[in-house]
Amino acid sequence: KYRYDETHAANVAANSMKLFDLLKEDHGLGPRERLLLEVAGILHDIGTFISPQGHHRHSSYLIDAADIFGLRKADKDIVSKVALYHRRQVPGPADPAYMSLSRHDRAVVSKLSAIIRVAEALDKSHQQKIRDFTLERDRDTITIRPIGESVDLSIERQALAKKDSLFTDVLGATLVLKQ
């Protein structure tokens, strides 16, 4: 219905799930939050139906307005906020809707937003260059190593450098993309 890039959305959702699973010790979230992240990954770009400019806000609005089978209002609020924060905007006191969430749900939104931003950066070119990867930890640095054929990842590397600040703030580690 919303004519979004379904292949990109599926890749962002899959990479989000992989990151979620590999970072389980860091974020401490469970299966409910994993499902909400997957839904947010699939829906994060539906706002381009309204306008590519500010599509994150439009995605949030569309999610808020939709009936999504199986999601309670509280779940939808989290998915909506994660879609909103998948770009530049940072969760915080400037957003009254974010502040109206419970303390626990605000923490969930922040963690899931940090993860989806990384997954979005890993497919910045919308060409699904990174479909699988491993993570390597070294103190406060997490290195993402793509698995598969060697391709030019300069766009993804640049996007990750722009989007990793929320991840660093929320999960306490900087990210590096290496081949």
Side-chain angles (χ1 to χ4, degrees):
K1 176 179 181 177
Y2 295 113
R3 292 185 224 121
Y4 66 107
D5 185 344
E6 193 173 343
T7 308
H8 167 71
N11 186 254
V12 169
N15 284 344
S16 293
M17 300 297 90
K18 176 110 180 183
L19 285 164
F20 184 94
D21 293 342
L22 293 172
L23 296 167
K24 191 171 218 112
E25 294 175 16
D26 298 290
H27 59 65
L29 302 175
R32 170 184 171 258
E33 292 84 5
R34 187 180 192 278
L35 173 66
L36 298 180
L37 179 61
E38 183 175 18
V39 173
I42 293 167
L43 300 177
H44 78 282
D45 275 348
I46 62 172
T48 57
F49 179 75
I50 296 172
S51 173
Q53 286 75 37
H55 75 272
H56 56 294
R57 290 188 305 274
H58 301 305
S59 294
S60 179
Y61 169 79
L62 290 170
I63 293 165
D64 281 337
D67 287 327
I68 302 175
F69 182 76
L71 294 186
R72 303 174 308 210
K73 167 90 170 85
D75 295 336
K76 227 172 43 159
D77 290 343
I78 291 171
V79 170
S80 167
K81 289 298 164 204
V82 172
L84 175 65
Y85 297 131
H86 87 270
R87 288 186 78 200
R88 290 177 224 117
Q89 196 170 345
V90 178
D95 181 359
Y98 172 78
M99 294 308 293
S100 72
L101 297 172
S102 71
R103 183 181 184 119
H104 175 266
D105 286 353
R106 286 195 307 266
V108 169
V109 167
S110 295
K111 291 174 183 181
L112 298 184
S113 297
I115 292 169
I116 200 169
R117 280 185 185 206
V118 173
E120 168 78 9
L122 295 179
D123 194 32
K124 183 65 175 174
S125 66
H126 287 235
Q127 295 177 353
Q128 296 75 53
K129 294 177 186 177
I130 302 173
R131 294 177 187 263
D132 198 8
F133 54 88
T134 62
L135 294 184
E136 297 171 8
R137 297 170 196 272
D138 181 26
R139 289 193 175 158
D140 296 334
T141 302
I142 296 174
T143 302
I144 301 171
R145 290 197 186 273
I147 298 171
E149 64 182 74
S150 184
V151 294
D152 180 14
L153 298 176
S154 54
I155 293 171
E156 289 73 14
R157 192 172 285 110
Q158 184 178 20
L160 185 62
K162 285 183 179 178
K163 290 192 173 199
D164 78 337
S165 62
L166 180 62
F167 187 92
T168 301
D169 291 346
V170 173
L171 296 172
T174 53
L175 293 165
V176 178
L177 177 60
K178 289 188 178 177
Q179 285 179 293

